[in-house]
Amino acid sequence: MELDEMKAAWLALDRRLAREEALTRITFREGRLDRLRATLRPLVAARIAQIVIGALLALAFAPFWVEHLDTPHFVAIGASLHLYAILVIVGGARDLFMIRRIDYAAPVVEIQLRLAELRAWLLKSAPVFGAI
């Protein structure tokens, strides 16, 4: 084998190794992102359930306080529960918006920033929605 053939073989091997390394990185990153998506799936399901329950509560409380407009304390209680149901809907929608805003193709630092914003929002909003 001559020197030129050896150089060509070495360059071909180097290119193949670089491609394999790139594929390994992509596979590793996709695996991590799939795990992240799987981790967020229960939160998405819970927020969809929260929105549905909030809508059902709003539909239940609205007729109550509208029918009792002549009794102020029933109006106050019914309207406050209706407002709480609307807040539950808005909170669930906000959580879903923040989850959907995560761009899994973005750099890791940006994904981590979005997740930190989501965690901070969840911690701030937990007392409002009765969660600890």
Side-chain angles (χ1 to χ4, degrees):
M1 188 178 268
E2 292 201 25
L3 185 60
D4 290 335
E5 291 174 357
M6 229 165 134
K7 284 182 182 179
W10 189 260
L11 285 173
L13 183 63
D14 190 41
R15 276 187 241 120
R16 193 176 339 144
L17 183 61
R19 275 190 304 236
E20 285 184 32
E21 184 179 320
L23 286 174
T24 303
R25 280 189 191 160
I26 290 170
T27 305
F28 177 72
R29 182 169 183 189
E30 287 299 318
R32 289 182 58 111
L33 293 177
D34 287 343
R35 284 197 308 264
L36 175 63
R37 285 186 195 106
T39 303
L40 290 176
R41 268 188 217 116
L43 184 62
V44 169
R47 292 313 174 242
I48 290 171
Q50 176 181 340
I51 291 171
V52 169
I53 290 170
L56 292 174
L57 288 174
L59 290 174
F61 294 138
F64 174 80
W65 68 269
V66 170
E67 290 173 4
H68 295 91
L69 287 175
D70 55 339
T71 314
H73 62 281
F74 282 159
V75 171
I77 291 170
S80 64
L81 289 174
H82 190 209
L83 178 64
Y84 177 75
I86 292 171
L87 283 175
V88 167
I89 295 168
V90 170
R94 166 85 175 163
D95 294 348
L96 285 177
F97 170 74
M98 291 183 80
I99 292 169
R100 298 282 184 219
R101 205 172 70 159
I102 297 172
D103 180 16
Y104 298 104
V108 174
V109 175
E110 187 174 330
I111 295 172
Q112 289 174 341
L113 179 67
R114 299 281 187 217
L115 288 173
E117 289 173 358
L118 177 63
R119 283 187 198 112
W121 164 252
L122 291 175
L123 288 174
K124 281 189 240 178
S125 66
V128 173
F129 302 116
I132 295 176

